[in-house]
Amino acid sequence: MAVGVQALLGFQLLSILTPALYERLDQTLRLVHLSGIVLVVVAMFLLLAPAAYHRLAESAVMTAEFIDSAASLVGWALAALRLGLVLEIYTAARALGLAHAPSAGIAGGLFLASWALWSVWPRVSVLRLAPNPKSD
């Protein structure tokens, strides 16, 4: 996953170096784009942190605390990635000439889809797979 985020970051940075695209963005959209880049960088840091920590601090053991911490960091990374991607989609839609409302609709729809797939579905699955206590 971290490699995919790094590739995404490369494309985001490349887009600001493309004058034809960058000149289409007003100052507000440039700030939205920068915010998206920053959030993707934060996601990348959060995704890479457990591996770096484990390699340097606990390379000989796999503790429950480490697993809990790593899972928490991945959850926060997904939240940052979700918001960064949504901001980038909004920026791209506006750069392609769509008005605010359709651009926000597309971005909002993708936000809801990612939230459902990355947050709701796993939690519902855990509840569904949990053992049911038998009633007498």
Side-chain angles (χ1 to χ4, degrees):
M1 183 176 205
V3 173
V5 172
Q6 291 169 330
L8 172 63
L9 178 62
F11 285 115
Q12 287 176 300
L13 294 173
L14 183 63
S15 70
I16 64 171
L17 300 175
T18 306
L21 173 64
Y22 193 71
E23 290 169 0
R24 288 186 189 176
L25 305 179
D26 63 20
Q27 186 63 28
T28 301
L29 286 177
R30 289 176 183 173
L31 291 173
V32 171
H33 180 61
L34 176 62
S35 299
I37 291 172
V38 168
L39 285 164
V40 169
V41 169
V42 168
M44 184 176 63
F45 288 172
L46 291 169
L47 286 172
L48 295 174
Y53 176 83
H54 189 260
R55 183 178 62 250
L56 297 172
E58 296 183 15
S59 61
V61 294
M62 181 71 71
T63 64
E65 293 82 14
F66 169 74
I67 292 170
D68 290 343
S69 296
S72 178
L73 288 171
V74 169
W76 284 107
L78 287 175
L81 182 61
R82 172 186 302 127
L83 190 52
L85 290 172
V86 165
L87 292 175
E88 288 298 316
I89 292 297
Y90 175 81
T91 303
R94 293 300 309 271
L96 292 171
L98 271 66
H100 168 72
S103 299
I106 292 168
L110 290 172
F111 178 87
L112 291 174
S114 68
W115 176 69
L117 291 169
W118 298 349
S119 297
V120 175
W121 179 40
R123 285 178 176 84
V124 169
S125 294
V126 166
L127 293 174
R128 185 175 48 88
L129 296 174
N132 292 328
K134 297 190 182 208
S135 59
D136 293 329

